[in-house]
Amino acid sequence: MPQQSRSIAVSVATNLHLAFDTELCRTHTVWSGKGLHLLGPQYSMAKRPFISTNDAPVLWSMPPRSPWFTVSEKKKSIPLNAQYRAVSTGRDGVSLHYELTLPDGERVKVSETPRASGRFIVRRIEIGPASRLLAFVAHDELGYPLKFNPASRMLRMLRNDGRPLQAFIGHGDFKVHADVHHGAYEEEVFTETGATKGNPKVKREGAQIRMLVAIPPHQSPVTLEIASTTNPKEGFASEDAIVPAVFQASQAKPKERAPKIYTAAPVPGFSMASTPHFRSEAFPLPKEIELLVTGMDFLPNGDLAVCTWIGDIYIVEGATGPVRSAKYRRFAAGLCEPMGLIVKNGQIYVGMKNELTRVTDTDGNGEADLVERINAGWAYTGHYNAFSYGPVVDINGDFVLANAGHSGRWDAKYMGWGIRVSADGSKLTPICSGFREPNGIGVFGPNRDVFISENQGAWIGSCRLDHVAPGKFHGHPSAWPSKKEEYGKHTKMDPPAIWFPYKLARSTTGIAEITDDRFGPFKGQLMVGDFQNAIVTRVMLEKVNGEYQG
């Protein structure tokens, strides 16, 4: 989104939506009308524009800073680092989970669950035990103050666009304060052009109104609720009616629902095999779903997990049986363009553009209800080409991904790099650089050596197969930690394991090792796909003086 590349958009009602910034753990925009306008070729069949927009009236927004802080012994404010952890869905709605790190290292768990109550949006914030005072900025915006009532804990103001805003704090042992000061800050605006050349920064300045909530030290979790609304037609709501009408309104719980199972249309599969030695089967797909497949792996029970470009995960039941008997169950939706999926210890991990993620069904109903961030240590500009491919798992059990450098910037860290993420997600280590569009990533041999299949284009004369090894440079300008003075000016590169003939393969993709004898004498070789010519090539590798070639 223009406000933040790493955003989670939540529709709390058909005409009321918010976007949460996972970098600063703030609700950055609330709007009415239509939901998020998803853009990009997987949605619109056009490469531009690709920045999603909320083409509807903005009700309120928050500046680009963390809303959490504490107070030092000298009564000075100390901003707190907030780390986003996960998003979950359940009968209470969508919850956003993150952790605050206090100055002494103490960690406090926080969960925010937004909901609609009439024309109000209510944010329910559950705060885990904390040994010291916390402060939360419930609202922070440029505008004109009208009224603050400490007794009812109500703020009224006019936003700069003339909309009247009203915010209330619900019951609880919290002190509420409002102040007005001269605000001045810069706000980065994510744009199509800025994705490759650097985003513009807009200066905001004027009278700034803040509504602060003090949360005293507590040994058990506490709950804070904030209700806010703008309604230029009707003006302000009565203070006396707010508490019973908004905070105490009974919330109808959605009914338990089972995931829908899709089956294919009753048409025969067909074979395109031109040899009697192998059989090729085509899967007829359900007409209700769109499988723009970007990754797949088998679950322990034999079902096939498939992720798609538009952000879905489907479980294909009976994938290795008769093709017309396969059943398709949507397991997850709303992910950020996953380009790879792997099953590790029975759990599904996907590599999205913006993070490495674990997707889990915690209640056993057949649908995922928890999407956890494992690591997001690389920059994400929001560009159409800012793909992250993988993950695969190396011999040590760590995750390896390859980030595209195509349409990158030097200051967008790790674009064009192969990276390793520790098994627990706590550490990211760069391996090698120079990737343009590493569409395929896979492992080979008993040591699970990682290879990528590179896509030809600028700086890359033809598609190639590269061994991912420490310190190598594969030809395309890469972002930090590459040297800035060498960005786009390099004259040397490490050779690939193989070059693909250009006429044969023009956009190489996925990699699979032949691990048994069912493909005749080709055990120990690789099969590499190509999406432009729609073929599969066979690659034979050997090691010469410690380097792969073939």
Side-chain angles (χ1 to χ4, degrees), residues 33 43 122 159 181 203 252 293 299 424 451 491 500 505 535 548:
Y43 305 111
V122 180
R159 300 178 71 246
H181 63 280
K203 291 185 177 181
V293 177
L299 292 161
D424 63 0
F451 284 81
T491 58
F500 289 91
I535 63 168
Y548 279 105

Side-chain angles (χ1 to χ4, degrees), residues 20 136 139 153 156 192 217 237 254 282 306 308 373 453 455:
F20 182 82
F136 180 72
H139 197 78
R153 304 194 287 193
R156 287 177 176 174
E192 271 80 10
V306 173
T308 75
R373 171 179 287 179
S453 58
N455 197 340

Side-chain angles (χ1 to χ4, degrees), residues 214-225:
I215 302 150
H218 50 280
Q219 295 182 347
S220 299
V222 297
T223 300
L224 164 69
E225 285 197 316

Side-chain angles (χ1 to χ4, degrees), residues 264-280:
V267 295
F270 62 93
S271 174
M272 297 178 63
S274 58
T275 168
H277 303 291
F278 308 121
R279 185 178 74 249
S280 173

Side-chain angles (χ1 to χ4, degrees), residues 320-342:
T320 58
V323 294
R324 288 181 295 279
S325 300
K327 296 181 180 180
Y328 300 77
R329 165 168 49 91
R330 193 169 81 167
F331 183 70
L335 305 178
C336 183
E337 301 184 55
M339 286 290 122
L341 178 150
I342 194 166

Side-chain angles (χ1 to χ4, degrees), residues 62 90 133 196 203 235 238 242 310 328 359 393 405 424 446 501 536 547:
M62 295 277 272
L133 174 77
T196 53
K203 291 185 177 181
S238 166
I242 291 298
I310 59 176
Y328 300 77
V359 186
V393 174
D424 63 0
V536 175
E547 293 290 339

Side-chain angles (χ1 to χ4, degrees), residues 403-406 408-418 432-436 472-484 486-488 490:
N403 290 337
H406 181 37
R409 306 194 316 250
W410 176 81
D411 62 340
K413 61 182 181 180
Y414 299 127
M415 292 189 75
W417 281 80
C432 56
S433 61
F435 295 138
R436 178 184 177 270
K472 284 191 173 184
F473 174 68
H474 297 285
H476 192 277
S478 297
W480 183 94
S482 296
K483 295 180 180 179
K484 187 175 184 179
E486 296 178 2
Y487 185 70
H490 53 275

